[in-house]
Amino acid sequence: MSEKKGRPEYARYEAQSTEELQEILRKHAHNEIQIEMDTEELFYIMEVLSERNNQTPEQIAKTTQDAYAAFREHYMPKENSTAGKTTAKVFSARWMKVAVAAVVALVILCVTTASAQAFGVDIWGRFASWTKEIFQFQDASQHDQGKDPEKENNLELKSLQDALDQYNITQKLIPTYLPSGYTFADINVFDSPREVSVSAKFNRENDELIISIRQTIGKVPEQIEKSDKLLEVYTIGGVDYYIFSNTETLQAAWVVGEFECQIIGKISVEEMKEMINSI
Amino acid sequence: MATKKNLYLARIIVCVLVISLLVPIGARAATPETATPYASAYLASYTAYICPMGDGELQIWYRVTGTGTWADLGVLSIFLYESTDSVNWYWVKTFRHTEYDNMLASNEWQHMSHVDYEGIPGYYYKAYVCIWAGPEDGGDSRYIWTDVERCT
């Protein structure tokens, strides 16, 4: 669905910087641009920005449904297959080759995994995935039934634990340690048909620290901004905590059951680990 | 004959082992840890998704978390697309924060809300969402597609 094709009149946007294009979008959204821009023009700009981010709309739009459809097309057995019909050569030479190939593939997989672990790449342990710009946990559950919709609300709760208690969330998800100087400032509780999000903010002079817990129902892919480098996968209590930087802030993300948790703040790796240790 | 066959098998095993050792080395070299930095000083995380609510009602939800408190935080625009076959898509509506107060929050560190649309049961929908966070004199945007949802 490329909006750039056949629109040479918008080619001038290619020459503009990313900051200039983002400013155009911002001004347009704020009604600061007097000349009305049509949707195609806006999409042209968005596409230029997407390509610069190396993340085309088509790539983003590649949905699970598409992948599942392709899987069904290529790999699922056809319903009208010749199941039940017996053939004389049940285990033919052709199937033998397939079996040998499968065994070889299995051996490669096992040895690769073992050697990958030796090189420090934890293949099976990483259900989380990241690109160069975002981090997200893969959806492990495919059930998609929503619960009754509820309006989002903001509760004036004293602590994050109070909010979790209200949702009968008994798992230990919250750090009991806060880096020196941080004090409770605000809390948000949001409900949607697909997720419950409970987050708290703590302040230390001009710095802010956010702890966010969300319980998802079905597929709610969240994208987490990150710099290029995953600093560490810190494992404690059988849980992998992914620690990475996002410009000036440090972030940690982890999954416990159906809960996805984050800590975001201008703190050191040591302080982050100490918070994690206190969960 | 048996020796020749054993030699052949030995060669295969050696090849498998060599490939198995080389693959993770290549994989490690290709990990994003060596990729170009790309992050945001304003945005920490975000998501957007469509919820079919029945009777044709669609809710387009978005949640944006900033790296801190920002003058503007939320979504600027939502472009909604419709399809009868999930292949050919047609733009049907644009939601702008200037028309929907709950799209962009002021002086917040996190924002979550939704806009509604009356869809056609059985049709498919997806949205292109412009995420925004920043102070009054700047900011950062991201553009994400929601997953495709079938209206019920």
Short mmCIF file of all heavy atoms in Angstrom, two decimals, chain A residues 1 25-26 28-29 31 43 46 49-50 53 57 65 115 133 149 152 186 192 195 199 201 208 214 219 221-223 225-226 228 246, chain B residues 20 32 35 38-40 43-47 49 53 63 68-69 79 81 96-98 109-110 113 128 132 142-143 145 147-148:
data_model
loop_
_atom_site.label_atom_id
_atom_site.label_comp_id
_atom_site.label_asym_id
_atom_site.label_seq_id
_atom_site.Cartn_x
_atom_site.Cartn_y
_atom_site.Cartn_z
N MET A 1 0.83 -1.19 0.00
CA MET A 1 0.00 0.00 0.00
C MET A 1 0.87 1.25 0.00
O MET A 1 0.80 2.10 0.86
CB MET A 1 -0.91 -0.01 1.22
CG MET A 1 -2.01 0.99 1.12
SD MET A 1 -3.20 0.74 2.45
CE MET A 1 -2.17 0.93 3.88
N LEU A 25 4.23 17.17 10.21
CA LEU A 25 3.14 16.33 10.75
C LEU A 25 2.59 16.92 12.05
O LEU A 25 1.39 16.94 12.29
CB LEU A 25 3.64 14.91 10.99
CG LEU A 25 3.91 14.06 9.74
CD1 LEU A 25 4.45 12.70 10.15
CD2 LEU A 25 2.66 13.90 8.92
N ARG A 26 3.52 17.37 12.89
CA ARG A 26 3.08 17.93 14.17
C ARG A 26 2.23 19.18 13.95
O ARG A 26 1.17 19.34 14.54
CB ARG A 26 4.30 18.27 15.03
CG ARG A 26 3.96 18.61 16.48
CD ARG A 26 5.19 19.08 17.23
NE ARG A 26 5.65 20.39 16.77
CZ ARG A 26 5.11 21.55 17.17
NH1 ARG A 26 4.10 21.55 18.00
NH2 ARG A 26 5.57 22.69 16.71
N HIS A 28 0.63 20.02 11.26
CA HIS A 28 -0.65 19.65 10.62
C HIS A 28 -1.64 19.16 11.65
O HIS A 28 -2.81 19.53 11.65
CB HIS A 28 -0.40 18.58 9.56
CG HIS A 28 -1.67 18.11 8.92
ND1 HIS A 28 -2.34 16.98 9.33
CD2 HIS A 28 -2.42 18.65 7.93
CE1 HIS A 28 -3.43 16.83 8.59
NE2 HIS A 28 -3.50 17.82 7.74
N ALA A 29 -1.14 18.31 12.55
CA ALA A 29 -2.03 17.77 13.57
C ALA A 29 -2.50 18.85 14.53
O ALA A 29 -3.55 18.74 15.14
CB ALA A 29 -1.32 16.65 14.33
N ASN A 31 -3.12 21.83 13.57
CA ASN A 31 -3.80 22.85 12.75
C ASN A 31 -2.98 24.12 12.59
O ASN A 31 -3.51 25.20 12.49
CB ASN A 31 -5.17 23.20 13.32
CG ASN A 31 -6.23 22.24 12.85
OD1 ASN A 31 -6.03 21.52 11.88
ND2 ASN A 31 -7.36 22.20 13.54
N PHE A 43 0.27 10.67 3.96
CA PHE A 43 0.81 9.32 3.90
C PHE A 43 2.16 9.28 3.20
O PHE A 43 3.01 8.46 3.53
CB PHE A 43 -0.18 8.39 3.19
CG PHE A 43 -0.85 7.46 4.13
CD1 PHE A 43 -2.14 7.67 4.56
CD2 PHE A 43 -0.16 6.37 4.65
CE1 PHE A 43 -2.74 6.82 5.45
CE2 PHE A 43 -0.76 5.52 5.54
CZ PHE A 43 -2.05 5.74 5.95
N MET A 46 4.57 10.20 5.81
CA MET A 46 4.73 9.09 6.75
C MET A 46 5.56 7.97 6.14
O MET A 46 6.37 7.35 6.82
CB MET A 46 3.36 8.54 7.14
CG MET A 46 2.58 9.45 8.07
SD MET A 46 1.00 8.70 8.47
CE MET A 46 0.40 9.85 9.69
N LEU A 49 9.18 8.86 6.18
CA LEU A 49 9.72 8.68 7.53
C LEU A 49 9.87 7.21 7.88
O LEU A 49 10.86 6.79 8.49
CB LEU A 49 8.80 9.37 8.55
CG LEU A 49 8.85 10.89 8.56
CD1 LEU A 49 7.71 11.46 9.39
CD2 LEU A 49 10.19 11.38 9.10
N SER A 50 8.87 6.42 7.48
CA SER A 50 8.93 4.99 7.78
C SER A 50 10.12 4.33 7.12
O SER A 50 10.81 3.50 7.70
CB SER A 50 7.64 4.30 7.34
OG SER A 50 6.56 4.78 8.07
N ASN A 53 13.23 5.08 8.83
CA ASN A 53 13.33 4.29 10.05
C ASN A 53 13.55 2.82 9.76
O ASN A 53 13.56 1.99 10.66
CB ASN A 53 12.06 4.43 10.89
CG ASN A 53 11.93 5.82 11.46
OD1 ASN A 53 12.86 6.60 11.42
ND2 ASN A 53 10.77 6.12 11.99
N PRO A 57 5.58 0.64 6.16
CA PRO A 57 4.24 0.28 6.60
C PRO A 57 3.88 -1.15 6.26
O PRO A 57 3.17 -1.81 7.01
CB PRO A 57 3.36 1.27 5.81
CG PRO A 57 4.23 2.45 5.58
CD PRO A 57 5.61 1.87 5.37
N GLN A 65 -2.21 -12.63 11.37
CA GLN A 65 -3.19 -13.30 10.52
C GLN A 65 -2.57 -13.66 9.17
O GLN A 65 -2.83 -14.73 8.63
CB GLN A 65 -4.40 -12.39 10.29
CG GLN A 65 -5.28 -12.27 11.52
CD GLN A 65 -4.85 -11.14 12.42
OE1 GLN A 65 -3.70 -10.71 12.36
NE2 GLN A 65 -5.75 -10.67 13.24
N SER A 115 25.95 -25.11 20.97
CA SER A 115 27.09 -24.25 20.69
C SER A 115 26.73 -22.78 20.83
O SER A 115 27.55 -21.95 21.23
CB SER A 115 27.64 -24.53 19.29
OG SER A 115 26.61 -24.45 18.34
N GLU A 133 15.42 -0.89 16.89
CA GLU A 133 14.82 0.29 17.45
C GLU A 133 13.76 0.02 18.50
O GLU A 133 13.45 0.88 19.29
CB GLU A 133 14.20 1.13 16.34
CG GLU A 133 13.20 0.36 15.52
CD GLU A 133 13.12 0.88 14.10
OE1 GLU A 133 14.13 1.38 13.61
OE2 GLU A 133 12.05 0.77 13.51
N PRO A 149 -16.09 -4.61 28.19
CA PRO A 149 -15.36 -3.35 28.13
C PRO A 149 -15.63 -2.50 29.37
O PRO A 149 -16.73 -2.47 29.90
CB PRO A 149 -15.92 -2.68 26.88
CG PRO A 149 -17.26 -3.29 26.70
CD PRO A 149 -17.15 -4.69 27.18
N GLU A 152 -11.77 3.56 30.83
CA GLU A 152 -10.52 3.76 31.54
C GLU A 152 -10.77 4.70 32.71
O GLU A 152 -11.64 5.55 32.65
CB GLU A 152 -9.46 4.36 30.61
CG GLU A 152 -9.68 5.79 30.23
CD GLU A 152 -10.51 5.88 28.97
OE1 GLU A 152 -11.26 4.94 28.68
OE2 GLU A 152 -10.43 6.90 28.29
N ASP A 186 2.62 9.73 41.35
CA ASP A 186 1.36 9.60 40.61
C ASP A 186 1.13 8.14 40.25
O ASP A 186 2.07 7.34 40.22
CB ASP A 186 1.45 10.44 39.32
CG ASP A 186 0.09 10.62 38.67
OD1 ASP A 186 -0.93 10.33 39.33
OD2 ASP A 186 0.05 11.05 37.51
N SER A 192 -8.90 -1.65 29.41
CA SER A 192 -9.47 -1.74 28.06
C SER A 192 -9.97 -3.17 27.89
O SER A 192 -9.70 -4.02 28.74
CB SER A 192 -8.41 -1.41 27.01
OG SER A 192 -7.69 -2.55 26.61
N GLU A 195 -6.58 -5.22 27.91
CA GLU A 195 -5.49 -5.13 28.89
C GLU A 195 -5.89 -4.30 30.09
O GLU A 195 -6.76 -3.45 30.01
CB GLU A 195 -4.23 -4.53 28.25
CG GLU A 195 -4.42 -3.12 27.75
CD GLU A 195 -3.15 -2.50 27.23
OE1 GLU A 195 -2.05 -2.86 27.69
OE2 GLU A 195 -3.25 -1.62 26.37
N SER A 199 0.32 1.65 36.43
CA SER A 199 1.65 2.27 36.39
C SER A 199 1.77 3.32 37.48
O SER A 199 0.79 4.00 37.81
CB SER A 199 1.90 2.93 35.03
OG SER A 199 1.71 2.02 33.98
N LYS A 201 4.42 6.53 39.01
CA LYS A 201 5.56 7.40 38.73
C LYS A 201 6.16 7.90 40.04
O LYS A 201 5.42 8.23 40.98
CB LYS A 201 5.12 8.59 37.87
CG LYS A 201 6.30 9.42 37.35
CD LYS A 201 5.84 10.62 36.58
CE LYS A 201 5.29 11.67 37.52
NZ LYS A 201 5.24 13.02 36.93
N GLU A 208 12.53 11.26 36.70
CA GLU A 208 11.29 10.52 36.89
C GLU A 208 11.55 9.02 36.72
O GLU A 208 12.36 8.63 35.87
CB GLU A 208 10.22 10.98 35.91
CG GLU A 208 9.75 12.40 36.19
CD GLU A 208 8.82 12.93 35.11
OE1 GLU A 208 9.21 12.93 33.94
OE2 GLU A 208 7.72 13.36 35.46
N ARG A 214 1.32 -4.57 33.25
CA ARG A 214 0.10 -4.73 32.45
C ARG A 214 -0.24 -6.19 32.27
O ARG A 214 0.64 -7.05 32.11
CB ARG A 214 0.21 -4.02 31.12
CG ARG A 214 1.14 -4.65 30.13
CD ARG A 214 1.14 -3.86 28.84
NE ARG A 214 1.84 -4.58 27.79
CZ ARG A 214 1.34 -4.84 26.59
NH1 ARG A 214 0.15 -4.43 26.27
NH2 ARG A 214 2.03 -5.51 25.70
N LYS A 219 -3.94 -10.65 22.16
CA LYS A 219 -2.72 -10.13 21.56
C LYS A 219 -2.69 -8.61 21.62
O LYS A 219 -3.50 -7.94 20.99
CB LYS A 219 -2.65 -10.59 20.10
CG LYS A 219 -1.33 -10.31 19.43
CD LYS A 219 -1.29 -11.01 18.07
CE LYS A 219 0.06 -10.82 17.40
NZ LYS A 219 0.29 -9.44 17.02
N PRO A 221 0.40 -6.27 21.23
CA PRO A 221 1.84 -6.07 21.09
C PRO A 221 2.26 -4.67 21.49
O PRO A 221 1.77 -3.69 20.95
CB PRO A 221 2.09 -6.31 19.59
CG PRO A 221 0.79 -5.97 18.95
CD PRO A 221 -0.28 -6.30 19.94
N GLU A 222 3.14 -4.58 22.45
CA GLU A 222 3.65 -3.28 22.88
C GLU A 222 5.07 -3.10 22.36
O GLU A 222 5.86 -4.04 22.37
CB GLU A 222 3.66 -3.18 24.40
CG GLU A 222 4.14 -1.81 24.89
CD GLU A 222 4.01 -1.66 26.38
OE1 GLU A 222 4.42 -2.60 27.09
OE2 GLU A 222 3.50 -0.63 26.84
N GLN A 223 5.35 -1.94 21.86
CA GLN A 223 6.69 -1.65 21.35
C GLN A 223 7.41 -0.76 22.34
O GLN A 223 6.89 0.27 22.76
CB GLN A 223 6.61 -1.01 19.98
CG GLN A 223 5.90 -1.93 18.99
CD GLN A 223 5.92 -1.40 17.58
OE1 GLN A 223 6.51 -0.37 17.30
NE2 GLN A 223 5.27 -2.10 16.68
N GLU A 225 10.77 1.42 23.14
CA GLU A 225 11.90 2.09 22.51
C GLU A 225 13.21 1.67 23.18
O GLU A 225 13.26 1.47 24.39
CB GLU A 225 11.75 3.61 22.63
CG GLU A 225 10.65 4.17 21.78
CD GLU A 225 11.03 4.24 20.31
OE1 GLU A 225 12.19 4.59 20.00
OE2 GLU A 225 10.17 3.93 19.46
N LYS A 226 14.24 1.53 22.37
CA LYS A 226 15.53 1.16 22.93
C LYS A 226 16.65 1.66 22.05
O LYS A 226 16.47 1.85 20.85
CB LYS A 226 15.64 -0.36 23.08
CG LYS A 226 15.57 -1.12 21.77
CD LYS A 226 15.74 -2.60 21.99
CE LYS A 226 17.19 -3.02 22.09
NZ LYS A 226 17.95 -2.80 20.87
N ASP A 228 20.53 0.81 20.56
CA ASP A 228 20.92 -0.39 19.81
C ASP A 228 21.35 -1.54 20.69
O ASP A 228 21.26 -2.69 20.31
CB ASP A 228 22.04 -0.06 18.82
CG ASP A 228 23.30 0.34 19.54
OD1 ASP A 228 23.18 0.98 20.60
OD2 ASP A 228 24.39 0.01 19.05
N ASN A 246 17.60 3.62 26.58
CA ASN A 246 16.80 4.36 25.61
C ASN A 246 17.21 5.82 25.74
O ASN A 246 16.69 6.53 26.58
CB ASN A 246 15.31 4.16 25.89
CG ASN A 246 14.44 4.98 24.96
OD1 ASN A 246 14.85 5.31 23.85
ND2 ASN A 246 13.24 5.32 25.42
N SER B 20 26.95 -26.31 12.44
CA SER B 20 26.35 -26.01 13.74
C SER B 20 27.18 -25.05 14.55
O SER B 20 26.66 -24.26 15.34
CB SER B 20 26.15 -27.31 14.53
OG SER B 20 25.37 -28.20 13.78
N PRO B 32 21.10 -7.47 16.92
CA PRO B 32 20.90 -6.03 16.88
C PRO B 32 21.88 -5.26 17.75
O PRO B 32 21.90 -4.06 17.70
CB PRO B 32 19.48 -5.87 17.41
CG PRO B 32 18.84 -7.18 17.19
CD PRO B 32 19.93 -8.18 17.35
N ALA B 35 23.66 -3.10 15.64
CA ALA B 35 22.91 -2.31 14.68
C ALA B 35 22.97 -0.82 15.02
O ALA B 35 23.46 -0.41 16.06
CB ALA B 35 21.45 -2.76 14.68
N TYR B 38 18.83 3.61 17.61
CA TYR B 38 17.59 4.28 17.29
C TYR B 38 16.73 4.21 18.53
O TYR B 38 16.29 3.15 18.93
CB TYR B 38 16.89 3.60 16.12
CG TYR B 38 15.78 4.43 15.56
CD1 TYR B 38 16.07 5.45 14.67
CD2 TYR B 38 14.47 4.20 15.91
CE1 TYR B 38 15.06 6.23 14.16
CE2 TYR B 38 13.46 4.97 15.39
CZ TYR B 38 13.76 5.98 14.51
OH TYR B 38 12.75 6.74 14.01
N ALA B 39 16.52 5.34 19.14
CA ALA B 39 15.76 5.37 20.38
C ALA B 39 15.06 6.72 20.47
O ALA B 39 15.14 7.53 19.55
CB ALA B 39 16.69 5.15 21.56
N SER B 40 14.37 6.91 21.55
CA SER B 40 13.63 8.16 21.69
C SER B 40 13.90 8.78 23.05
O SER B 40 13.89 8.08 24.07
CB SER B 40 12.13 7.89 21.53
OG SER B 40 11.40 9.07 21.78
N LEU B 43 9.73 9.05 24.01
CA LEU B 43 8.83 7.89 24.06
C LEU B 43 9.51 6.71 24.72
O LEU B 43 10.66 6.39 24.41
CB LEU B 43 8.42 7.50 22.64
CG LEU B 43 7.45 8.43 21.93
CD1 LEU B 43 7.47 8.18 20.42
CD2 LEU B 43 6.05 8.26 22.48
N ALA B 44 8.80 6.04 25.62
CA ALA B 44 9.32 4.82 26.25
C ALA B 44 8.68 3.59 25.63
O ALA B 44 9.37 2.65 25.24
CB ALA B 44 9.08 4.85 27.75
N SER B 45 7.36 3.57 25.53
CA SER B 45 6.67 2.42 24.94
C SER B 45 5.29 2.85 24.47
O SER B 45 4.76 3.88 24.92
CB SER B 45 6.56 1.28 25.94
OG SER B 45 5.82 1.67 27.08
N TYR B 46 4.71 2.05 23.60
CA TYR B 46 3.40 2.40 23.05
C TYR B 46 2.77 1.18 22.39
O TYR B 46 3.46 0.23 22.00
CB TYR B 46 3.52 3.53 22.02
CG TYR B 46 4.71 3.40 21.11
CD1 TYR B 46 4.65 2.64 19.95
CD2 TYR B 46 5.92 4.00 21.44
CE1 TYR B 46 5.75 2.50 19.14
CE2 TYR B 46 7.02 3.87 20.64
CZ TYR B 46 6.94 3.12 19.49
OH TYR B 46 8.04 2.96 18.69
N THR B 47 1.46 1.24 22.27
CA THR B 47 0.73 0.18 21.58
C THR B 47 -0.57 0.75 21.04
O THR B 47 -1.06 1.79 21.52
CB THR B 47 0.43 -1.00 22.54
OG1 THR B 47 -0.20 -2.06 21.81
CG2 THR B 47 -0.49 -0.59 23.66
N TYR B 49 -4.37 -0.89 19.15
CA TYR B 49 -5.08 -2.08 18.69
C TYR B 49 -6.56 -1.76 18.53
O TYR B 49 -7.08 -0.81 19.12
CB TYR B 49 -4.89 -3.24 19.67
CG TYR B 49 -5.11 -2.90 21.12
CD1 TYR B 49 -6.35 -3.05 21.72
CD2 TYR B 49 -4.06 -2.41 21.90
CE1 TYR B 49 -6.54 -2.74 23.05
CE2 TYR B 49 -4.24 -2.10 23.23
CZ TYR B 49 -5.49 -2.25 23.80
OH TYR B 49 -5.68 -1.93 25.12
N MET B 53 -16.41 -4.66 19.18
CA MET B 53 -17.25 -4.72 20.38
C MET B 53 -18.62 -5.34 20.12
O MET B 53 -19.44 -5.43 21.02
CB MET B 53 -17.43 -3.31 20.95
CG MET B 53 -16.13 -2.57 21.22
SD MET B 53 -15.03 -3.45 22.34
CE MET B 53 -15.98 -3.44 23.83
N ARG B 63 -2.17 3.31 23.84
CA ARG B 63 -1.54 3.61 25.14
C ARG B 63 -0.10 4.03 24.88
O ARG B 63 0.64 3.34 24.17
CB ARG B 63 -1.57 2.41 26.07
CG ARG B 63 -0.92 2.68 27.42
CD ARG B 63 -1.16 1.55 28.41
NE ARG B 63 -0.90 0.24 27.83
CZ ARG B 63 0.31 -0.25 27.66
NH1 ARG B 63 1.37 0.44 28.01
NH2 ARG B 63 0.47 -1.45 27.12
N GLY B 68 9.16 10.43 30.54
CA GLY B 68 8.88 11.31 31.66
C GLY B 68 7.59 12.06 31.35
O GLY B 68 6.81 11.62 30.51
N THR B 69 7.38 13.17 32.00
CA THR B 69 6.19 13.98 31.77
C THR B 69 6.45 14.94 30.62
O THR B 69 7.46 15.65 30.62
CB THR B 69 5.82 14.76 33.04
OG1 THR B 69 5.62 13.82 34.11
CG2 THR B 69 4.56 15.57 32.84
N PHE B 79 -5.39 6.86 11.08
CA PHE B 79 -5.98 6.62 9.76
C PHE B 79 -6.60 5.22 9.77
O PHE B 79 -5.88 4.24 9.94
CB PHE B 79 -4.91 6.70 8.67
CG PHE B 79 -4.28 8.07 8.55
CD1 PHE B 79 -3.23 8.44 9.38
CD2 PHE B 79 -4.74 8.97 7.61
CE1 PHE B 79 -2.65 9.69 9.28
CE2 PHE B 79 -4.17 10.23 7.51
CZ PHE B 79 -3.13 10.59 8.35
N TYR B 81 -8.54 2.10 8.04
CA TYR B 81 -8.73 1.45 6.74
C TYR B 81 -9.72 0.30 6.86
O TYR B 81 -9.79 -0.37 7.89
CB TYR B 81 -7.38 0.94 6.22
CG TYR B 81 -6.53 2.03 5.62
CD1 TYR B 81 -5.84 2.91 6.44
CD2 TYR B 81 -6.47 2.20 4.25
CE1 TYR B 81 -5.09 3.92 5.90
CE2 TYR B 81 -5.71 3.22 3.69
CZ TYR B 81 -5.02 4.08 4.52
OH TYR B 81 -4.29 5.09 3.98
N ARG B 96 -8.31 12.98 14.17
CA ARG B 96 -7.25 13.93 14.52
C ARG B 96 -7.46 14.42 15.95
O ARG B 96 -8.60 14.61 16.39
CB ARG B 96 -7.27 15.12 13.56
CG ARG B 96 -6.83 14.72 12.16
CD ARG B 96 -7.09 15.83 11.18
NE ARG B 96 -6.40 17.06 11.56
CZ ARG B 96 -6.21 18.07 10.73
NH1 ARG B 96 -6.63 17.98 9.49
NH2 ARG B 96 -5.60 19.16 11.12
N HIS B 97 -6.35 14.65 16.62
CA HIS B 97 -6.47 15.03 18.04
C HIS B 97 -7.14 16.37 18.20
O HIS B 97 -7.66 16.69 19.27
CB HIS B 97 -5.08 15.03 18.70
CG HIS B 97 -4.31 16.27 18.45
ND1 HIS B 97 -4.33 17.33 19.30
CD2 HIS B 97 -3.51 16.61 17.42
CE1 HIS B 97 -3.56 18.29 18.83
NE2 HIS B 97 -3.05 17.88 17.70
N THR B 98 -7.13 17.18 17.14
CA THR B 98 -7.80 18.48 17.24
C THR B 98 -9.32 18.32 17.26
O THR B 98 -10.04 19.23 17.65
CB THR B 98 -7.40 19.35 16.03
OG1 THR B 98 -7.57 18.59 14.83
CG2 THR B 98 -5.96 19.80 16.15
N TRP B 109 2.61 11.69 31.71
CA TRP B 109 3.70 10.74 31.47
C TRP B 109 3.17 9.44 30.87
O TRP B 109 3.92 8.61 30.39
CB TRP B 109 4.46 10.46 32.77
CG TRP B 109 3.57 10.06 33.91
CD1 TRP B 109 2.84 10.89 34.71
CD2 TRP B 109 3.29 8.74 34.36
NE1 TRP B 109 2.13 10.17 35.64
CE2 TRP B 109 2.39 8.84 35.45
CE3 TRP B 109 3.71 7.47 33.96
CZ2 TRP B 109 1.91 7.73 36.14
CZ3 TRP B 109 3.24 6.35 34.65
CH2 TRP B 109 2.35 6.51 35.72
N GLN B 110 1.85 9.29 30.89
CA GLN B 110 1.23 8.11 30.29
C GLN B 110 -0.18 8.47 29.86
O GLN B 110 -0.88 9.21 30.55
CB GLN B 110 1.20 6.94 31.28
CG GLN B 110 0.81 5.61 30.66
CD GLN B 110 0.86 4.49 31.68
OE1 GLN B 110 0.31 4.61 32.77
NE2 GLN B 110 1.51 3.39 31.34
N SER B 113 -6.40 5.75 25.86
CA SER B 113 -7.80 6.05 25.59
C SER B 113 -8.19 5.36 24.28
O SER B 113 -7.44 4.53 23.77
CB SER B 113 -8.02 7.57 25.50
OG SER B 113 -9.40 7.86 25.49
N TYR B 128 -3.58 3.05 11.02
CA TYR B 128 -2.21 3.55 11.03
C TYR B 128 -2.18 4.70 12.03
O TYR B 128 -2.88 5.70 11.86
CB TYR B 128 -1.84 4.03 9.63
CG TYR B 128 -0.37 4.23 9.38
CD1 TYR B 128 0.55 3.28 9.77
CD2 TYR B 128 0.09 5.36 8.72
CE1 TYR B 128 1.89 3.45 9.51
CE2 TYR B 128 1.44 5.54 8.46
CZ TYR B 128 2.32 4.58 8.85
OH TYR B 128 3.66 4.75 8.60
N TRP B 132 2.85 10.26 19.48
CA TRP B 132 3.60 11.50 19.70
C TRP B 132 3.91 11.71 21.17
O TRP B 132 3.08 11.42 22.04
CB TRP B 132 2.80 12.71 19.19
CG TRP B 132 3.52 14.00 19.39
CD1 TRP B 132 3.40 14.84 20.46
CD2 TRP B 132 4.49 14.58 18.54
NE1 TRP B 132 4.24 15.91 20.31
CE2 TRP B 132 4.92 15.78 19.14
CE3 TRP B 132 5.06 14.20 17.32
CZ2 TRP B 132 5.88 16.60 18.56
CZ3 TRP B 132 6.01 15.02 16.74
CH2 TRP B 132 6.41 16.21 17.36
N ARG B 142 6.19 8.27 16.17
CA ARG B 142 6.33 6.90 15.65
C ARG B 142 5.03 6.55 14.93
O ARG B 142 3.97 7.03 15.31
CB ARG B 142 6.58 5.90 16.78
CG ARG B 142 7.89 6.07 17.51
CD ARG B 142 9.07 5.65 16.64
NE ARG B 142 10.33 5.77 17.37
CZ ARG B 142 11.07 6.87 17.39
NH1 ARG B 142 10.68 7.95 16.73
NH2 ARG B 142 12.20 6.89 18.06
N TYR B 143 5.14 5.70 13.94
CA TYR B 143 3.97 5.33 13.14
C TYR B 143 3.82 3.83 13.18
O TYR B 143 4.72 3.10 12.78
CB TYR B 143 4.15 5.83 11.71
CG TYR B 143 4.59 7.27 11.68
CD1 TYR B 143 5.94 7.59 11.62
CD2 TYR B 143 3.67 8.29 11.81
CE1 TYR B 143 6.36 8.90 11.65
CE2 TYR B 143 4.07 9.60 11.85
CZ TYR B 143 5.43 9.90 11.77
OH TYR B 143 5.84 11.21 11.81
N TRP B 145 1.16 0.32 12.70
CA TRP B 145 -0.09 -0.29 12.25
C TRP B 145 -0.67 -1.13 13.39
O TRP B 145 0.06 -1.80 14.11
CB TRP B 145 0.15 -1.23 11.07
CG TRP B 145 0.36 -0.56 9.77
CD1 TRP B 145 1.55 -0.36 9.13
CD2 TRP B 145 -0.64 0.01 8.91
NE1 TRP B 145 1.35 0.28 7.93
CE2 TRP B 145 0.02 0.52 7.78
CE3 TRP B 145 -2.03 0.13 9.00
CZ2 TRP B 145 -0.67 1.13 6.74
CZ3 TRP B 145 -2.70 0.76 7.97
CH2 TRP B 145 -2.03 1.25 6.85
N ASP B 147 -2.98 -4.46 14.37
CA ASP B 147 -3.30 -5.72 13.71
C ASP B 147 -4.65 -5.59 13.01
O ASP B 147 -5.46 -4.71 13.34
CB ASP B 147 -3.37 -6.85 14.74
CG ASP B 147 -1.98 -7.38 15.10
OD1 ASP B 147 -1.03 -7.05 14.37
OD2 ASP B 147 -1.87 -8.12 16.08
N VAL B 148 -4.87 -6.46 12.07
CA VAL B 148 -6.16 -6.48 11.37
C VAL B 148 -7.20 -7.15 12.26
O VAL B 148 -6.93 -8.18 12.88
CB VAL B 148 -6.02 -7.26 10.04
CG1 VAL B 148 -7.39 -7.38 9.36
CG2 VAL B 148 -5.02 -6.58 9.12
#
